[in-house]
Amino acid sequence: MRMLLQGKFWVVVLIIIGVVGANLYYFLFYSSAGANLYSIEGLPYRILLDTDVDTDDLLGLLYLLKLNRSEFNVEAITINANGWSDAGHAVNQIYDILYMMDRDDIAVGVGGNGGILENGTILPNVGGYLPLIEQGYTTAGHCRYRQANPVGRGGRLDLDANFGIRKAFLPQGRRNYNPLWQPTAQQVMIDRISAGPITVLLIGTCTNFAIFLMSNPHLMKNIKHIYIMGGGVRTKNPTGNLFTDFASNPYAESNIFGDPFAAYQVFHSGIPITLIPLDATNSIPISKNFFNTFEQSQNTYEAQYCFQSLKAARDASQLG
Ligand SMILES: *[C@@H]1O[C@H](CO)[C@@H](O)[C@H](O)[C@H]1NC(C)=O
Ligand SMILES: *[C@@H]1O[C@H](CO)[C@@H](O)[C@H](O)[C@H]1NC(C)=O
């Protein structure tokens, strides 16, 4: 952290633990690119995180929240509900984590499938207000992308409830998902990105952010850098991580596969991007040794929540 103050490097180590079928992987997120573009006066780095609220993302979020807030300040979390968790559950999960971390100040917005009509009209606020299944433009239910996600032994509820650990473990604060009042992902993005230079982390599908870029090109100048967890570049076979669809598509990576058009939009935005592909995550697997060591050193509530989540995900993947 000292190095940060010297303005030499910007190194964010965001450890995200991904649940990939039977494989768990560690995800190392780092960059020194563009470090000197940020002046010391520019601190803290304002961060907007877009997540699908899978277990790995919860661990990444906790890691981010543990950083020195005067240096790295998560200001907003937007949720895409077209990949993994469903809208209401995902919002509550994030609210509970933020409450535990005493960060009820962080704005939370939710978006769903995102919609672009056949005639090219972009529907900016899709998602959040209704269950996906009730959205007129939804692809849920028959979407070949989303169907690649496995449902847990408890059905979608396992994904939505983080295997029940959320309610069993996390304290509940005052914020709750209310479909009529919940800000949309687009509202939150417009609000926070309008406020000044910001760094965007995309760790689910790129849907929300792609819709933002297409609808608000004048705000692109405020986005300093985009970090995307997605894709695979030079991985050896087997390369991809499509849970249930691995046999028929061994190459695809879930976050890109979940919304290829959105990924295309983001990649072609012209904003500097650092991609953290499967290559990086595969290089730091969660080994038995790591797991056992972690089990012995749960000194904080955050660590306990992470360990329990990891254990539940592991048990589910072994039994499922
Ligand atoms: C957090 O960062 C600020 C600003 O760089 C610094 O003054 C403060 O000492 C840091 N706090 C801790 C606990 O490291
Ligand atoms: C596109 O289609 C939608 C839904 O049918 C319609 O409401 C909208 O007016 C159309 N837009 C244009 C530009 O034709």
Side-chain angles (χ1 to χ4, degrees):
M1 285 294 133
R2 287 273 155 231
M3 286 189 304
L4 297 162
L5 298 180
Q6 290 158 8
K8 273 250 171 191
F9 303 102
W10 183 36
V11 183
V12 177
V13 181
L14 169 57
I15 298 175
I16 293 176
I17 297 161
V19 184
V20 187
N23 299 318
L24 295 169
Y25 64 86
Y26 234 162
F27 170 75
L28 179 69
F29 182 83
Y30 69 94
S31 170
S32 56
N36 295 323
L37 297 178
Y38 295 85
S39 67
I40 290 169
E41 322 158 46
L43 293 175
Y45 300 106
R46 304 176 58 236
I47 294 169
L48 183 147
L49 175 75
D50 188 82
T51 166
D52 59 13
V53 195
D54 187 3
T55 302
D56 56 336
D57 291 18
L58 300 180
L59 276 49
L61 171 61
L62 280 168
Y63 195 94
L64 271 177
L65 295 174
K66 296 285 276 187
L67 296 173
N68 184 338
R69 192 175 155 188
S70 305
E71 293 168 349
F72 297 100
N73 190 21
V74 179
E75 288 199 6
I77 297 171
T78 50
I79 294 167
N80 72 71
N82 62 332
W84 194 258
S85 311
D86 291 307
H89 293 285
V91 171
N92 282 330
Q93 169 78 65
I94 295 294
Y95 278 159
D96 290 352
I97 285 190
L98 293 179
Y99 178 68
M100 174 172 81
M101 302 301 287
D102 196 20
R103 291 301 307 271
D104 277 352
D105 60 296
I106 295 178
V108 175
V110 67
N113 277 16
I116 299 169
L117 303 187
E118 303 232 331
N119 64 15
T121 302
I122 299 168
L123 302 166
N125 271 337
V126 175
Y129 291 113
L130 292 170
L132 286 175
I133 203 81
E134 289 175 27
Q135 286 175 29
Y137 308 107
T138 183
T139 55
H142 54 267
C143 173
R144 71 189 174 96
Y145 299 125
R146 200 180 199 204
Q147 277 184 0
N149 289 340
V151 292
R153 283 187 307 149
R156 286 205 57 77
L157 202 53
D158 271 1
L159 310 186
D160 281 337
N162 195 23
F163 306 97
I165 300 171
R166 171 174 81 81
K167 279 228 160 155
F169 186 93
L170 293 178
Q172 265 103 55
R174 299 171 75 106
R175 291 204 288 182
N176 268 307
Y177 177 66
N178 179 322
L180 295 178
W181 294 346
Q182 188 66 39
T184 64
Q186 297 303 313
Q187 286 166 345
V188 169
M189 283 179 168
I190 290 169
D191 179 57
R192 291 294 80 209
I193 294 171
S194 305
I198 194 161
T199 300
V200 173
L201 311 184
L202 306 177
I203 59 176
T205 63
C206 298
T207 310
N208 286 333
F209 194 58
I211 292 176
F212 169 83
L213 292 176
M214 287 186 283
S215 318
N216 305 279
H218 60 291
L219 292 177
M220 278 171 55
K221 64 179 190 310
N222 282 355
I223 298 155
K224 291 297 165 201
H225 206 100
I226 306 168
Y227 294 85
I228 303 173
M229 177 171 116
V233 181
R234 293 187 204 91
T235 47
K236 296 197 188 89
N237 279 334
T239 52
N241 70 352
L242 283 197
F243 312 89
T244 57
D245 223 10
F246 186 75
S248 64
N249 190 342
Y251 296 101
E253 185 281 329
S254 299
N255 287 343
I256 305 296
F257 181 83
D259 195 338
F261 177 73
Y264 176 94
Q265 288 294 329
V266 177
F267 284 136
H268 289 82
S269 64
I271 300 166
I273 292 175
T274 300
L275 185 74
I276 298 88
L278 286 177
D279 317 35
T281 59
N282 287 345
S283 67
I284 34 176
I286 294 179
S287 60
K288 213 167 197 166
N289 192 16
F290 172 88
F291 190 86
N292 293 337
T293 309
F294 192 8
E295 188 165 25
Q296 301 307 318
S297 48
Q298 301 170 53
N299 300 325
T300 61
Y301 286 115
E302 296 91 309
Q304 286 173 26
Y305 192 63
C306 288
F307 182 77
Q308 289 194 21
S309 301
L310 202 54
K311 188 165 180 302
R314 184 203 64 172
D315 293 349
S317 67
Q318 283 180 350
L319 296 169

